[in-house]
Amino acid sequence: MSDVSSNPSTTRPWSLTTERIIIAGVLAAITIILGVIPNLGFIPLPNAIGNATIEHIPTIVGGVIAGPIVGLISGLIFGVLSFFRATVPFFKDPSVAILPRIFIGLTAWATFAALVRINRDLAAAAAGFVGAATNTILVVAALIIRGYFPAQVIISIVLVQSIIEAIIAAILTVILVRIFYILESRLVHAPDTKPRDQLPY
């Protein structure tokens, strides 16, 4: 069992703290790096979609470790980057490239918050899977609604790819969330080696 009070994303989740602003900035930088380095965040594929992606991982992690606001901000940055880096015409449509990505961090956070009382790793894995699935489902839905592809064509194209992306997201989210909590516990809970009145802070 995990103590929900020890999870930053579930404590006053809709407030924007200094820590969350810093986390949002770091994740934004990572998202941009993944997006601008060729073949890193967007991996070219010889299909109609054009790319597989791990670009959504910072957005998922943002929602999990810092709450829904950071998840929404990270998703917006991911979407805007996807829009400007688009190599296929339909990702030049904001309703396909940007709007669906805003919800990735939100669903990842909601999943993590719902399951973290049971087990933190399980919650992180589920959040990673759900966040990646949110990306795929909402992008595919937008492509269908906007008339770029018929449902039977696009679903068959992305089905296997989307399952693989979701599994990878689940694994990476567990690893990255573990690293975050290890680092946080060392920074926040490191024992004082001097009396309080002799500490420089």
Side-chain angles (χ1 to χ4, degrees):
M1 296 287 286
S2 297
D3 180 7
V4 71
S5 65
S6 67
N7 294 290
S9 68
T10 55
T11 304
R12 298 176 61 227
W14 291 98
S15 64
L16 193 58
T17 64
T18 302
E19 180 186 23
R20 287 173 179 162
I21 292 171
I22 293 170
I23 290 173
V26 170
L27 291 174
I30 293 171
T31 300
I32 292 168
I33 289 169
L34 287 174
V36 300
I37 296 178
N39 305 334
L40 185 58
F42 297 102
I43 304 163
L45 291 178
N47 63 19
I49 295 297
N51 293 285
T53 186
I54 59 169
E55 184 81 2
H56 54 301
I57 301 296
T59 299
I60 293 169
V61 172
V64 168
I65 67 175
I69 294 180
V70 173
L72 290 168
I73 293 170
S74 299
L76 177 62
I77 293 168
F78 169 28
V80 170
L81 195 63
S82 176
F83 175 78
F84 284 110
R85 295 276 297 170
T87 57
V88 286
F90 43 82
F91 278 119
K92 288 293 186 182
D93 183 341
S95 65
V96 175
I98 299 175
L99 185 60
R101 274 59 190 267
I102 295 174
F103 296 95
I104 296 171
L106 187 61
T107 59
W109 166 76
T111 303
F112 182 78
L115 297 175
V116 69
R117 290 182 182 274
I118 301 172
N119 180 271
R120 186 183 286 162
D121 285 345
L122 171 65
F129 193 94
V130 169
T134 298
N135 179 50
T136 300
I137 291 169
L138 294 185
V139 168
V140 168
L143 289 170
I144 295 169
I145 291 168
R146 296 287 288 162
Y148 292 109
F149 293 96
Q152 64 271 23
V153 172
I154 190 62
I155 291 173
S156 63
I157 289 173
V158 303
L159 183 60
V160 174
Q161 173 185 327
S162 63
I163 293 172
I164 294 171
E165 285 182 358
I167 292 171
I168 292 171
I171 294 169
L172 289 178
T173 302
V174 172
I175 293 170
L176 294 172
V177 169
R178 276 194 174 195
I179 291 171
F180 169 79
Y181 281 110
I182 289 170
L183 292 175
E184 187 197 42
S185 65
R186 290 182 178 177
L187 290 173
V188 176
H189 304 297
D192 293 333
T193 56
K194 296 181 179 180
R196 174 63 62 182
D197 58 355
Q198 295 181 21
L199 292 172
Y201 51 85

